[in-house]
Amino acid sequence: MRLRLILISLLGYVCYLSSATALTYKLHAHEFACFYAHAQEKGLKLAFYFAVQSGGSFDVDFSVVGPNEKTILEGTKERQGDFVFTAKEPGEYRFCFNNEMSTFAEKMVDFEISVENESKDAKLPSKQGTSPEQTSALEESILKVSRDLSTINRNQKYFRTRENRNMSTVKSTES
């Protein structure tokens, strides 16, 4: 029972260390839209995932710009992307989508922006009589489960995107 309480506490703490925003946005023709995430300190991990669900050729231009106005990532005519980078400095990071090349096609874009603090200093409360190796092994197992769940989540997003694109193709050929 006590071990279960410790596991739940650590899982709650891991969830507390991460903040994420998952959205679906309709990007109109000729539109340039930006979304923002704030890194409180340098060294935090920022994750950025996007997938064009519908519209045109299922592609969009994107860019990620740091607090110093330096471009960190950019791409043209991308269908989807999944990126993780470390914040080199604290401040506001800008995640932009550009559909200015499209004359009439609006696009539905799913995206997620998360700021994660994977602190190695987080320690489980130790039980009397347990060795630090046992506690460390438990922490590593929980972090592995967390990473595996993130991988599963990304794979689900990928397959949902593929399903939406394939359904769009089927609908366009039915008429």
Side-chain angles (χ1 to χ4, degrees), residues 33-73:
C34 293
F35 302 87
Y36 300 86
H38 189 79
Q40 297 290 338
E41 57 193 52
K42 73 177 188 176
L44 296 179
K45 284 188 176 182
L46 284 95
F48 175 50
Y49 166 85
F50 74 91
V52 180
Q53 296 294 333
S54 65
S57 298
F58 298 98
D59 61 352
V60 70
D61 298 345
F62 75 94
S63 64
V64 178
V65 179
N68 57 359
E69 294 300 316
K70 182 179 177 186
T71 300
I72 298 168
L73 296 167

Side-chain angles (χ1 to χ4, degrees), residues 2-68:
R2 184 173 176 98
L3 180 61
R4 181 183 291 171
L5 181 62
I6 291 172
L7 285 173
I8 291 171
S9 299
L10 186 62
L11 188 58
Y13 182 71
V14 168
C15 291
Y16 167 76
L17 293 176
S18 173
S19 64
T21 303
L23 296 170
T24 300
Y25 184 76
K26 184 185 283 189
L27 192 63
H28 296 282
H30 302 293
E31 184 178 4
F32 182 83
C34 293
F35 302 87
Y36 300 86
H38 189 79
Q40 297 290 338
E41 57 193 52
K42 73 177 188 176
L44 296 179
K45 284 188 176 182
L46 284 95
F48 175 50
Y49 166 85
F50 74 91
V52 180
Q53 296 294 333
S54 65
S57 298
F58 298 98
D59 61 352
V60 70
D61 298 345
F62 75 94
S63 64
V64 178
V65 179
N68 57 359

Side-chain angles (χ1 to χ4, degrees), residues 74-168:
E74 66 181 335
T76 57
K77 298 191 179 203
E78 298 285 338
R79 291 177 168 222
Q80 67 186 59
D82 193 1
F83 309 97
V84 177
F85 61 94
T86 303
K88 300 246 190 260
E89 58 186 273
E92 197 166 69
Y93 287 78
R94 188 171 68 230
F95 301 82
C96 299
F97 297 106
N98 184 348
N99 196 26
E100 292 175 340
M101 81 287 208
S102 181
T103 54
F104 64 91
E106 56 187 31
K107 302 185 179 162
M108 196 67 71
V109 181
D110 281 350
F111 68 97
E112 180 175 355
I113 300 168
S114 65
V115 180
E116 302 170 358
N117 182 5
E118 292 185 357
S119 173
K120 298 295 180 194
D121 299 332
K123 297 289 179 198
L124 283 173
S126 59
K127 183 179 174 185
Q128 272 186 329
T130 61
S131 67
E133 292 82 21
Q134 289 173 320
T135 304
S136 179
L138 183 60
E139 288 173 343
E140 288 300 319
S141 295
I142 290 173
L143 289 174
K144 182 183 180 326
V145 168
S146 177
R147 285 190 302 269
D148 291 346
L149 286 172
S150 293
T151 300
I152 290 169
N153 190 14
R154 280 194 304 275
N155 286 335
Q156 284 179 323
K157 290 176 185 174
Y158 170 76
F159 288 120
R160 183 177 53 221
T161 299
R162 294 237 358 223
E163 179 184 20
N164 287 341
R165 287 185 192 147
N166 292 339
M167 182 58 75
S168 180

